[in-house]
Amino acid sequence: MNWLTDITPPGIKKMFRAQDDQQALWTRCPSCEQMTFNRDLEAEQMVCPNCGHHHPITPVMRLFHLLGEEWERLELPETPDDPLKFKDTKPYPARLKDYRKRTGERDALVVGKGMLGERAAVVAVQNFKFMGGSMGTAIGEGLLTAADAAVDAGAALIVVTASGGARMQEGILSLMQMPRSTIAVQKVREAGLPYVVILTNPTTGGVTASYAMLGDVHMAEPGALIGFAGPRVIEQTIREKLPEDFQKSEYLLDKGMLDRVTDRREMAAELGNILSVLMAPTGAVQRELPEPIAEATTQPANDAAPEAAADELPKAAE
């Protein structure tokens, strides 16, 4: 406590505490600068009711809004905390400990399974608040686990991306997750199941260069930044001014790189419609043709009973 705090009158202290409490109840939109009551913002799935700006959302909240109340969390394999003994301004294990305390998650991926309408789905969600959603061995293992779960359950695999790219603290091990995540996608494809990607703000780096662009269907939230290198890096490299909406989801939709740009509040319904086209309802039994019809369709009409056809011909006169 400093000298200024010591001499501050109790009334002034109370006023500042009241302001802090008020700020905890309200959120200012960075797009329209309007204040929204947090309870109202959460009811809108963290989408600004004034301008439609999509605020960050936690993985658990996203899974709840996509899969409903009865979704089940998948346990992901634990990976080594410091395989390369890496240290920058602080040791890598210390960074992990800090982010685990902030987010309550072990790493930057949360996987849940449940139902989207009448279709089973496994949904893997990246958490940008955990080291920028960076891709390390934990995400690689998590995606392989999600793919195996989808194949075992005959479910669609849906990945919600949010990442700044590879995790530098894991070096080459991080880059190895690009082919490993591709293997995860291939497992789902070989099983004949859909793989859908939802790109959110931001999706960049090695994530964009691997599993984020391998979907059967690519969807994105409005205004999401999507690309490999960021626009600032590109401008400095080519020394040219880029279009204002360059690498935004609407720009990529116009250029044919995305299939849909969908408001978060409509995402569950949109995904349900897409999965209803790509796969049969979970638990549905494929109806077989009745036996007589199945037999009739196995041989052409012209080949039916040649002996009987010969009997119908007039006999030659003796």
Side-chain angles (χ1 to χ4, degrees):
M1 188 174 292
N2 58 37
W3 66 271
L4 184 60
T5 307
D6 293 337
I7 65 172
T8 303
I12 301 296
K13 290 181 181 180
K14 185 177 180 180
M15 182 181 69
F16 279 112
R17 282 199 298 269
Q19 289 179 349
D20 292 339
D21 292 342
Q22 188 178 25
Q23 289 177 357
L25 296 174
W26 297 78
T27 297
R28 183 186 295 276
C29 176
S31 179
C32 66
E33 298 188 350
Q34 294 293 315
M35 297 288 286
T36 305
F37 192 41
N38 285 345
R39 189 181 300 172
D40 295 335
L41 192 59
E42 290 174 2
E44 294 292 324
Q45 299 187 36
M46 302 304 291
V47 177
C48 177
N50 300 299
C51 68
H53 173 78
H54 283 52
H55 292 263
I57 188 171
T58 66
V60 171
M61 188 182 294
R62 190 181 290 277
L63 286 165
F64 171 79
H65 287 299
L66 288 178
L67 300 176
E69 296 181 0
E70 298 183 358
W71 67 277
E72 177 185 350
R73 187 180 187 123
L74 296 185
E75 291 296 325
L76 303 183
E78 292 190 9
T79 55
D81 282 351
D82 194 13
L84 302 181
K85 308 301 179 185
F86 189 94
K87 180 179 180 180
D88 44 56
T89 56
K90 64 167 63 174
Y92 182 36
R95 287 194 182 278
L96 289 174
K97 183 178 180 180
D98 183 31
Y99 280 100
R100 286 168 182 168
K101 184 177 179 180
R102 290 189 208 176
T103 64
E105 303 292 348
R106 179 166 176 80
D107 213 282
L109 189 73
V110 179
V111 181
K113 65 178 181 179
M115 299 294 294
L116 259 166
E118 297 181 346
R119 276 73 182 173
V122 174
V123 183
V125 183
Q126 286 184 261
N127 186 1
F128 191 77
K129 290 188 175 181
F130 195 107
M131 296 188 72
S134 51
M135 177 181 61
T137 54
I139 282 188
E141 290 291 342
L143 289 174
L144 284 166
T145 301
D148 289 339
V151 172
D152 291 343
L157 177 60
I158 300 169
V159 175
V160 184
T161 62
S163 177
R167 186 169 295 180
M168 58 174 281
Q169 290 86 353
E170 296 187 20
I172 190 62
L173 297 177
S174 174
L175 297 179
M176 286 171 61
Q177 307 316 307
M178 296 172 67
R180 294 187 79 223
S181 63
T182 304
I183 291 171
V185 174
Q186 189 61 28
K187 284 185 175 183
V188 176
R189 288 239 171 89
E190 289 175 353
L193 298 167
Y195 172 52
V196 181
V197 182
I198 302 172
L199 300 109
T200 70
N201 184 57
T203 298
T204 58
V207 170
T208 307
S210 54
Y211 57 89
M213 287 298 173
L214 296 177
D216 300 312
V217 178
H218 291 101
M219 306 173 69
E221 291 184 341
L225 174 67
I226 303 165
F228 182 70
R232 183 172 54 187
V233 174
I234 296 174
E235 284 186 341
Q236 292 173 351
T237 303
I238 66 175
R239 302 183 186 278
E240 291 184 16
K241 185 68 176 174
L242 298 171
E244 185 176 349
D245 59 349
F246 184 73
Q247 292 184 314
K248 292 298 180 69
S249 51
E250 292 80 6
Y251 181 89
L252 297 179
L253 177 66
D254 183 57
K255 300 301 180 183
M257 291 188 67
L258 298 176
D259 298 301
R260 304 270 175 103
V261 174
T262 305
D263 188 292
R264 184 183 295 158
R265 295 164 290 188
E266 302 170 1
M267 191 69 73
E270 191 79 3
L271 278 170
N273 290 335
I274 290 172
L275 295 186
S276 69
V277 174
L278 297 179
M279 60 191 301
T282 300
V285 178
Q286 186 69 29
R287 187 170 62 87
E288 297 181 358
L289 292 173
E291 195 67 24
I293 299 178
E295 289 182 356
T297 56
T298 57
Q299 61 175 217
N302 291 338
D303 294 338
E307 295 82 8
D311 291 339
E312 304 241 343
L313 294 174
K315 294 183 178 180
E318 296 181 355

